[in-house]
Amino acid sequence: MNHNTPLSPRPLHHLADGGRRVLTTAQLRTHGVSAAQATEQCRPGGPWQQLLPGVVLLHPGPPTGEERLHAVLMYAARERTVGVPVQPGADAPPAPPYGEAMITGLAALALHGFSCAPPLSSLDTLDVLVPRLRRLRSAGCARIVRAPDLPTPVRVPVPRALDPVHAEDATVPVAPVTRALADAVAGLKDADTVRLLLTEAVRGGHCEPAAVVRELTRARLLNRPHVVDAVDSLLAEGRAMAESRLYRMVRDHGLPDPVWNVDLRLPGGPHLGGLDAYWPEQAVALELDTRAPRPGGRPADDAQWSEYARKRELLEHLGITVVHITPRGLRDAMEQQATVVRTALMASADRDPAAYVVVLPR
């Protein structure tokens, strides 16, 4: 055998029998498979098939869900690795790094476990997120989504139901829920579908409403009426959940019962503002901070933001302690939030008496 002898002159069963059944043409070259050989193997009726440009499926049947995921990521990464050819039978190459590419959109939401997202098997195309300056076009089952700044991907296990026969990588890189939501919403025109996705993001504990709205604002989607309507429902849903957690915090952590959802006024004077909870004996007020960016890209209403600061300054000037709690704090650190409230209640004994205020139902 001389240096012109092909390294893999026989049928390349050793590749398809290995752990990986999707390879790029660059990876095939490291196995001594020339471009001409790969083309021959992918001929109609042949043992392989070209699934995407530069990506080969090493069996003739339809790809599994997992193989489609890996193929789309490999195509988006467009590996140009040229390694030293290896003899047939050598170990398969390591799992592909996929560069900066990650699954996004509806496919990502399905991988995150969204029940209202369509199953991966029903999606004709899979969205894959890449840097904006990548020279890459959508092809086959891969739809390219570009972004100037990529988020840090989440490694999500691939459901075994997508490939009951063969296992490849245990996980694939997936865009965080907020980014995946924005990319999915960008391609949806049905208001009910958008509302279902946003609602599940909050109810399922994947993210807080404010984080979703920030991402939709960044993606410039809040100029679409059906998205704005869904966001209004989302914010209402988020506040209701936060109020429920607030009631549970008071009950489960043994805090004294406050008066709920009240307005404060000075006797015969102006309105001081509404509160979610108030302990009159200790002069401690609690307010849920549910501010979020609003349509148009502005932070909530400028008036709403200034109202928080005005109210806090006025109440504290009257000797009332104001505690602000975020929905995320209630979700992720309820015990810590209860400690903050308890500390404020206990500290009231060391403060000068607060001004007398009128407490009215809100």
Side-chain angles (χ1 to χ4, degrees):
M1 182 176 71
N2 58 38
H3 67 280
N4 292 320
T5 303
L7 288 172
S8 303
R10 61 181 176 83
L12 302 171
H13 297 305
H14 67 287
L15 291 178
D17 293 339
R20 180 166 300 285
R21 302 198 298 176
V22 181
L23 292 177
T24 64
T25 52
Q27 289 173 323
L28 286 171
R29 284 197 297 272
T30 70
H31 280 267
V33 181
S34 67
Q37 263 189 303
T39 300
E40 175 64 19
Q41 295 286 320
C42 292
R43 71 189 186 283
W48 297 352
Q49 54 186 309
Q50 181 173 300
L51 192 55
L52 288 165
V55 181
V56 176
L57 183 65
L58 304 184
H59 64 79
T64 66
E66 185 173 10
E67 287 167 347
R68 291 175 77 224
L69 284 171
H70 290 292
V72 165
L73 288 165
M74 295 164 100
Y75 170 69
R78 297 301 293 265
E79 298 167 359
R80 303 291 184 181
T81 305
V82 180
V84 178
V86 297
Q87 291 293 344
D91 291 338
Y98 302 137
E100 297 176 283
M102 67 189 79
I103 301 295
T104 190
L106 289 173
L109 296 179
L111 288 167
H112 279 297
F114 275 58
S115 62
C116 66
L120 286 168
S121 59
S122 72
L123 295 174
D124 295 329
T125 57
L126 305 178
D127 292 341
V128 58
L129 189 61
V130 301
R132 183 179 60 185
L133 298 181
R134 287 292 312 278
R135 299 179 63 183
L136 194 63
R137 292 183 178 181
S138 299
C141 61
R143 181 164 55 196
I144 301 301
V145 179
R146 292 180 172 81
D149 300 304
L150 297 186
T152 301
V154 181
R155 301 296 303 199
V156 175
V158 177
R160 291 272 62 83
L162 290 180
D163 193 351
V165 178
H166 238 77
E168 296 204 4
D169 294 331
T171 63
V172 290
V174 175
V177 167
T178 52
R179 176 66 209 221
L181 270 174
D183 289 332
V185 168
L188 294 172
K189 296 182 180 180
D190 182 70
D192 290 338
T193 302
V194 171
R195 186 178 295 107
L196 283 173
L197 289 172
L198 299 189
T199 299
E200 183 167 351
V202 174
R203 286 185 182 175
H206 296 283
C207 48
E208 292 297 326
V212 175
V213 179
R214 277 194 297 270
E215 196 64 51
L216 294 176
T217 302
R218 190 176 297 121
R220 299 181 180 179
L221 295 172
L222 292 182
N223 59 350
R224 304 182 183 185
H226 69 287
V227 177
V228 173
D229 290 344
V231 165
D232 287 340
S233 297
L234 174 75
L235 295 177
E237 174 83 15
R239 167 160 274 281
M241 290 184 63
E243 289 175 348
S244 177
R245 291 187 182 121
L246 180 58
Y247 300 149
R248 190 167 73 247
M249 180 192 76
V250 170
R251 181 186 69 243
D252 293 352
H253 292 274
L255 296 173
D257 288 331
V259 287
W260 297 103
N261 296 313
V262 295
D263 278 321
L264 300 187
R265 291 181 180 274
L266 287 173
H271 175 245
L272 299 174
L275 299 169
D276 294 286
Y278 184 59
W279 287 264
E281 293 184 8
Q282 295 86 2
V284 172
L286 185 146
E287 189 163 28
L288 282 171
D289 189 348
T290 56
R291 292 172 295 181
R294 299 297 294 166
R298 301 184 308 276
D301 247 303
D302 289 339
Q304 183 188 5
W305 286 76
S306 61
E307 171 64 13
Y308 272 84
R310 183 201 68 80
K311 185 193 305 181
R312 180 166 195 157
E313 182 178 355
L314 180 55
L315 292 178
E316 291 186 342
H317 178 72
L318 295 171
I320 297 172
T321 299
V322 181
V323 177
H324 275 185
I325 292 182
T326 64
R328 183 174 182 178
L330 281 172
R331 186 192 71 181
D332 298 339
M334 183 179 290
E335 183 176 359
Q336 180 181 346
Q337 305 308 308
T339 300
V340 171
V341 175
R342 183 178 291 106
T343 300
L345 294 172
M346 294 174 62
S348 66
D350 299 325
R351 299 195 311 266
D352 292 333
Y356 177 77
V357 295
V358 178
V359 181
L360 299 171
R362 183 162 59 172

